[in-house]
Structure formats: structure tokens, C-alpha cells
Amino acid sequence: MTVLDESPRTTYIPRQHRRHEIVTTDGMAGILCIGSALATCGYPVRDFAADVREGVPYSSITCTVSLTGAELERFTAQLLALPAVVAVDPC
């Protein structure tokens, strides 16, 4: 027996855990700004580590985000639009 229905099918797109290093300015304020952006952007963040050092102009965040291939460019563009972000690099 075959059951056919008229409901549209959504395709399954697998997510991959992608590790990124995000370089920022503004010390702890920049880290908190990026952390807030990651919390509100809607992508699942698996882990998050910040490295802030006194007297150094740049800080960094290393995080693993669950993304599809299509979301990867949008994720990078969203972060680069933040004023405190200098670079977003895959690890």
C-alpha cells in the first residue's frame, strides 16, 4: 500500500560542527558584543572560549557553531558586520 499526500516535503540538510576563530577589538566589551550576537543569531553554538589579555590590541573567541553549507557565508557576513570584529576564520 502506498500513501500519497499533498503536503510539501522539506529536505533534510545536515549541519556540521564548524570551528571558527573570531578576532575582535575592544577587549572584554568586544567579546561580550560578539557573545550576544552569537546568542541571538539563531545558530547552535556548541562551545565558546574567549582569550582576552591586558595590553594586547586584539582578543579572540574560538567557538564551534552548527551550520549548513548555505549558512556558512551568511554567518561570516553577520559577524563581520559587527564593528568590533576584525576577522572570522575557520580553524
Side-chain angles (χ1 to χ4, degrees):
M1 171 188 242
T2 303
V3 177
L4 299 175
D5 59 37
E6 299 299 322
S7 63
R9 301 280 183 218
T10 57
T11 58
Y12 173 74
I13 301 173
R15 291 182 172 273
Q16 293 182 349
H17 301 303
R18 299 170 191 263
R19 193 162 178 79
H20 289 83
E21 181 178 13
I22 304 163
V23 180
T24 182
T25 58
D26 297 336
M28 195 62 184
I31 296 289
L32 293 173
C33 174
I34 294 168
S36 175
L38 286 172
T40 60
C41 69
Y43 304 115
V45 177
R46 304 287 293 179
D47 68 305
F48 180 93
D51 184 21
V52 182
R53 297 176 190 259
E54 184 177 346
V56 178
Y58 298 112
S59 301
S60 67
I61 293 174
T62 304
C63 62
T64 302
V65 183
S66 184
L67 299 167
T68 65
E71 293 171 334
L72 183 58
E73 288 182 26
R74 184 176 33 191
F75 171 77
T76 303
Q78 284 176 334
L79 288 177
L80 287 173
L82 297 172
V85 175
V86 175
V88 179
D89 298 317
C91 294

